[in-house]
mmCIF file of all heavy atoms in Angstrom:
data_model
loop_
_atom_site.group_PDB
_atom_site.id
_atom_site.type_symbol
_atom_site.label_atom_id
_atom_site.label_comp_id
_atom_site.label_asym_id
_atom_site.label_seq_id
_atom_site.Cartn_x
_atom_site.Cartn_y
_atom_site.Cartn_z
ATOM 1 N N THR L 9 18.435 228.985 166.744
ATOM 2 C CA THR L 9 18.183 228.007 165.685
ATOM 3 C C THR L 9 19.475 227.705 164.942
ATOM 4 O O THR L 9 20.259 228.618 164.651
ATOM 5 C CB THR L 9 17.135 228.537 164.689
ATOM 6 O OG1 THR L 9 15.960 228.930 165.397
ATOM 7 C CG2 THR L 9 16.765 227.471 163.669
ATOM 8 N N THR L 10 19.689 226.439 164.620
ATOM 9 C CA THR L 10 20.912 226.050 163.915
ATOM 10 C C THR L 10 20.577 225.317 162.618
ATOM 11 O O THR L 10 19.481 224.787 162.430
ATOM 12 C CB THR L 10 21.798 225.122 164.777
ATOM 13 O OG1 THR L 10 21.075 223.930 165.088
ATOM 14 C CG2 THR L 10 22.221 225.818 166.055
ATOM 15 N N GLY L 11 21.546 225.298 161.725
ATOM 16 C CA GLY L 11 21.470 224.510 160.500
ATOM 17 C C GLY L 11 22.848 223.972 160.193
ATOM 18 O O GLY L 11 23.859 224.644 160.441
ATOM 19 N N VAL L 12 22.915 222.759 159.671
ATOM 20 C CA VAL L 12 24.205 222.098 159.418
ATOM 21 C C VAL L 12 24.270 221.646 157.970
ATOM 22 O O VAL L 12 23.292 221.123 157.415
ATOM 23 C CB VAL L 12 24.395 220.887 160.358
ATOM 24 C CG1 VAL L 12 25.682 220.125 160.011
ATOM 25 C CG2 VAL L 12 24.434 221.347 161.815
ATOM 26 N N GLY L 13 25.439 221.848 157.359
ATOM 27 C CA GLY L 13 25.702 221.355 156.012
ATOM 28 C C GLY L 13 26.987 220.547 156.002
ATOM 29 O O GLY L 13 27.847 220.707 156.881
ATOM 30 N N GLU L 14 27.116 219.693 154.997
ATOM 31 C CA GLU L 14 28.246 218.768 154.907
ATOM 32 C C GLU L 14 29.170 219.150 153.753
ATOM 33 O O GLU L 14 28.709 219.360 152.628
ATOM 34 C CB GLU L 14 27.711 217.353 154.701
ATOM 35 C CG GLU L 14 28.774 216.277 154.566
ATOM 36 C CD GLU L 14 28.141 214.902 154.340
ATOM 37 O OE1 GLU L 14 27.603 214.343 155.313
ATOM 38 O OE2 GLU L 14 28.162 214.428 153.178
ATOM 39 N N ILE L 15 30.462 219.243 154.042
ATOM 40 C CA ILE L 15 31.495 219.366 153.007
ATOM 41 C C ILE L 15 31.905 217.935 152.693
ATOM 42 O O ILE L 15 32.644 217.301 153.434
ATOM 43 C CB ILE L 15 32.696 220.202 153.497
ATOM 44 C CG1 ILE L 15 32.228 221.545 154.067
ATOM 45 C CG2 ILE L 15 33.688 220.427 152.364
ATOM 46 C CD1 ILE L 15 33.333 222.349 154.750
ATOM 47 N N SER L 16 31.411 217.403 151.571
ATOM 48 C CA SER L 16 31.392 215.955 151.360
ATOM 49 C C SER L 16 32.659 215.425 150.696
ATOM 50 O O SER L 16 33.108 215.959 149.678
ATOM 51 C CB SER L 16 30.187 215.586 150.484
ATOM 52 O OG SER L 16 28.973 215.972 151.089
ATOM 53 N N ASP L 17 33.213 214.349 151.282
ATOM 54 C CA ASP L 17 34.266 213.549 150.654
ATOM 55 C C ASP L 17 35.337 214.441 150.027
ATOM 56 O O ASP L 17 35.552 214.435 148.810
ATOM 57 C CB ASP L 17 33.649 212.615 149.604
ATOM 58 C CG ASP L 17 34.614 211.523 149.172
ATOM 59 O OD1 ASP L 17 35.633 211.313 149.842
ATOM 60 O OD2 ASP L 17 34.342 210.887 148.130
ATOM 61 N N ILE L 18 36.038 215.180 150.869
ATOM 62 C CA ILE L 18 37.012 216.180 150.413
ATOM 63 C C ILE L 18 38.125 215.499 149.620
ATOM 64 O O ILE L 18 38.753 214.552 150.080
ATOM 65 C CB ILE L 18 37.571 216.951 151.627
ATOM 66 C CG1 ILE L 18 36.419 217.720 152.312
ATOM 67 C CG2 ILE L 18 38.670 217.912 151.197
ATOM 68 C CD1 ILE L 18 36.752 218.215 153.700
ATOM 69 N N GLU L 19 38.358 215.993 148.396
ATOM 70 C CA GLU L 19 39.258 215.325 147.466
ATOM 71 C C GLU L 19 40.713 215.347 147.914
ATOM 72 O O GLU L 19 41.435 214.363 147.775
ATOM 73 C CB GLU L 19 39.149 215.979 146.080
ATOM 74 C CG GLU L 19 37.793 215.833 145.427
ATOM 75 C CD GLU L 19 37.573 214.450 144.845
ATOM 76 O OE1 GLU L 19 38.553 213.711 144.688
ATOM 77 O OE2 GLU L 19 36.405 214.120 144.544
ATOM 78 N N ASP L 20 41.177 216.477 148.430
ATOM 79 C CA ASP L 20 42.592 216.636 148.783
ATOM 80 C C ASP L 20 42.698 217.223 150.187
ATOM 81 O O ASP L 20 42.983 218.415 150.350
ATOM 82 C CB ASP L 20 43.278 217.539 147.754
ATOM 83 C CG ASP L 20 44.790 217.607 147.947
ATOM 84 O OD1 ASP L 20 45.317 216.819 148.764
ATOM 85 O OD2 ASP L 20 45.435 218.445 147.295
ATOM 86 N N PRO L 21 42.499 216.396 151.211
ATOM 87 C CA PRO L 21 42.474 216.920 152.584
ATOM 88 C C PRO L 21 43.767 217.597 153.005
ATOM 89 O O PRO L 21 43.749 218.509 153.845
ATOM 90 C CB PRO L 21 42.219 215.661 153.434
ATOM 91 C CG PRO L 21 41.603 214.681 152.508
ATOM 92 C CD PRO L 21 42.213 214.942 151.168
ATOM 93 N N GLU L 22 44.896 217.175 152.435
ATOM 94 C CA GLU L 22 46.180 217.737 152.842
ATOM 95 C C GLU L 22 46.306 219.218 152.483
ATOM 96 O O GLU L 22 47.037 219.956 153.145
ATOM 97 C CB GLU L 22 47.323 216.950 152.197
ATOM 98 C CG GLU L 22 47.384 215.482 152.606
ATOM 99 C CD GLU L 22 47.523 215.310 154.112
ATOM 100 O OE1 GLU L 22 48.296 216.072 154.731
ATOM 101 O OE2 GLU L 22 46.843 214.440 154.677
ATOM 102 N N SER L 23 45.611 219.642 151.448
ATOM 103 C CA SER L 23 45.761 221.031 151.003
ATOM 104 C C SER L 23 44.572 221.911 151.347
ATOM 105 O O SER L 23 44.571 223.097 151.019
ATOM 106 C CB SER L 23 45.981 221.059 149.482
ATOM 107 O OG SER L 23 44.834 220.589 148.803
ATOM 108 N N MET L 24 43.557 221.342 152.017
ATOM 109 C CA MET L 24 42.369 222.149 152.303
ATOM 110 C C MET L 24 42.667 223.162 153.412
ATOM 111 O O MET L 24 43.551 222.956 154.247
ATOM 112 C CB MET L 24 41.208 221.248 152.716
ATOM 113 C CG MET L 24 41.351 220.638 154.082
ATOM 114 S SD MET L 24 39.952 219.559 154.477
ATOM 115 C CE MET L 24 40.331 219.156 156.191
ATOM 116 N N PRO L 25 41.929 224.278 153.437
ATOM 117 C CA PRO L 25 42.119 225.268 154.503
ATOM 118 C C PRO L 25 41.765 224.690 155.871
ATOM 119 O O PRO L 25 40.949 223.764 155.981
ATOM 120 C CB PRO L 25 41.143 226.390 154.122
ATOM 121 C CG PRO L 25 40.798 226.161 152.693
ATOM 122 C CD PRO L 25 40.907 224.687 152.463
ATOM 123 N N ALA L 26 42.363 225.225 156.910
ATOM 124 C CA ALA L 26 42.032 224.819 158.275
ATOM 125 C C ALA L 26 40.597 225.215 158.606
ATOM 126 O O ALA L 26 40.031 226.141 158.006
ATOM 127 C CB ALA L 26 42.987 225.464 159.262
ATOM 128 N N ALA L 27 40.009 224.511 159.575
ATOM 129 C CA ALA L 27 38.630 224.796 159.972
ATOM 130 C C ALA L 27 38.460 226.262 160.364
ATOM 131 O O ALA L 27 37.457 226.895 160.028
ATOM 132 C CB ALA L 27 38.225 223.881 161.128
ATOM 133 N N ALA L 28 39.440 226.821 161.067
ATOM 134 C CA ALA L 28 39.344 228.217 161.506
ATOM 135 C C ALA L 28 39.301 229.173 160.323
ATOM 136 O O ALA L 28 38.622 230.207 160.368
ATOM 137 C CB ALA L 28 40.520 228.557 162.420
ATOM 138 N N VAL L 29 40.019 228.845 159.253
ATOM 139 C CA VAL L 29 40.013 229.686 158.056
ATOM 140 C C VAL L 29 38.639 229.651 157.394
ATOM 141 O O VAL L 29 38.110 230.672 156.960
ATOM 142 C CB VAL L 29 41.106 229.221 157.072
ATOM 143 C CG1 VAL L 29 41.000 229.976 155.743
ATOM 144 C CG2 VAL L 29 42.486 229.407 157.683
ATOM 145 N N VAL L 30 38.046 228.450 157.325
ATOM 146 C CA VAL L 30 36.708 228.323 156.740
ATOM 147 C C VAL L 30 35.693 229.084 157.582
ATOM 148 O O VAL L 30 34.826 229.799 157.048
ATOM 149 C CB VAL L 30 36.312 226.835 156.612
ATOM 150 C CG1 VAL L 30 34.911 226.700 156.004
ATOM 151 C CG2 VAL L 30 37.327 226.067 155.770
ATOM 152 N N GLU L 31 35.782 228.945 158.901
ATOM 153 C CA GLU L 31 34.866 229.673 159.785
ATOM 154 C C GLU L 31 34.960 231.174 159.559
ATOM 155 O O GLU L 31 33.935 231.874 159.483
ATOM 156 C CB GLU L 31 35.193 229.344 161.238
ATOM 157 C CG GLU L 31 34.832 227.926 161.642
ATOM 158 C CD GLU L 31 35.345 227.570 163.028
ATOM 159 O OE1 GLU L 31 36.184 228.326 163.579
ATOM 160 O OE2 GLU L 31 34.916 226.533 163.561
ATOM 161 N N GLU L 32 36.181 231.672 159.434
ATOM 162 C CA GLU L 32 36.362 233.120 159.255
ATOM 163 C C GLU L 32 35.831 233.584 157.905
ATOM 164 O O GLU L 32 35.145 234.609 157.813
ATOM 165 C CB GLU L 32 37.844 233.473 159.379
ATOM 166 C CG GLU L 32 38.129 234.968 159.236
ATOM 167 C CD GLU L 32 39.591 235.307 159.432
ATOM 168 O OE1 GLU L 32 40.399 234.395 159.679
ATOM 169 O OE2 GLU L 32 39.935 236.510 159.322
ATOM 170 N N GLU L 33 36.129 232.810 156.838
ATOM 171 C CA GLU L 33 35.715 233.215 155.493
ATOM 172 C C GLU L 33 34.193 233.166 155.350
ATOM 173 O O GLU L 33 33.576 234.119 154.846
ATOM 174 C CB GLU L 33 36.377 232.314 154.454
ATOM 175 C CG GLU L 33 36.062 232.660 153.012
ATOM 176 C CD GLU L 33 36.639 233.986 152.565
ATOM 177 O OE1 GLU L 33 37.530 234.526 153.268
ATOM 178 O OE2 GLU L 33 36.201 234.499 151.514
ATOM 179 N N VAL L 34 33.587 232.084 155.783
ATOM 180 C CA VAL L 34 32.129 231.965 155.681
ATOM 181 C C VAL L 34 31.457 232.935 156.657
ATOM 182 O O VAL L 34 30.448 233.576 156.326
ATOM 183 C CB VAL L 34 31.676 230.522 155.947
ATOM 184 C CG1 VAL L 34 30.156 230.419 155.964
ATOM 185 C CG2 VAL L 34 32.254 229.580 154.896
ATOM 186 N N GLY L 35 32.028 233.069 157.862
ATOM 187 C CA GLY L 35 31.456 233.973 158.852
ATOM 188 C C GLY L 35 31.468 235.419 158.410
ATOM 189 O O GLY L 35 30.511 236.167 158.666
ATOM 190 N N SER L 36 32.538 235.841 157.734
ATOM 191 C CA SER L 36 32.619 237.234 157.291
ATOM 192 C C SER L 36 31.524 237.549 156.266
ATOM 193 O O SER L 36 31.103 238.699 156.136
ATOM 194 C CB SER L 36 33.997 237.521 156.696
ATOM 195 O OG SER L 36 34.200 236.772 155.510
ATOM 196 N N PHE L 37 31.069 236.521 155.551
ATOM 197 C CA PHE L 37 29.987 236.714 154.582
ATOM 198 C C PHE L 37 28.613 236.607 155.231
ATOM 199 O O PHE L 37 27.706 237.403 154.937
ATOM 200 C CB PHE L 37 30.133 235.676 153.463
ATOM 201 C CG PHE L 37 28.948 235.603 152.538
ATOM 202 C CD1 PHE L 37 28.587 236.696 151.764
ATOM 203 C CD2 PHE L 37 28.191 234.449 152.447
ATOM 204 C CE1 PHE L 37 27.489 236.630 150.912
ATOM 205 C CE2 PHE L 37 27.099 234.370 151.605
ATOM 206 C CZ PHE L 37 26.743 235.470 150.836
#
C-alpha cells in the first residue's frame, strides 16, 4: 500500500535539500 503527499510550491528551490537527503531524513523516522 502506498500514500503520496505534496511538498507544495517550494519557496527557495536553490537551497532546499536534495531528494536523497529528504528520503533519508523522513525514512529514518
Side-chain angles (χ1 to χ4, degrees):
T9 306
T10 61
V12 175
E14 179 181 286
I15 308 172
S16 300
D17 195 14
I18 297 165
E19 296 283 345
D20 187 9
E22 298 302 319
S23 65
M24 72 181 186
V29 173
V30 180
E31 290 172 347
E32 181 177 0
E33 182 67 15
V34 175
S36 65
F37 170 63

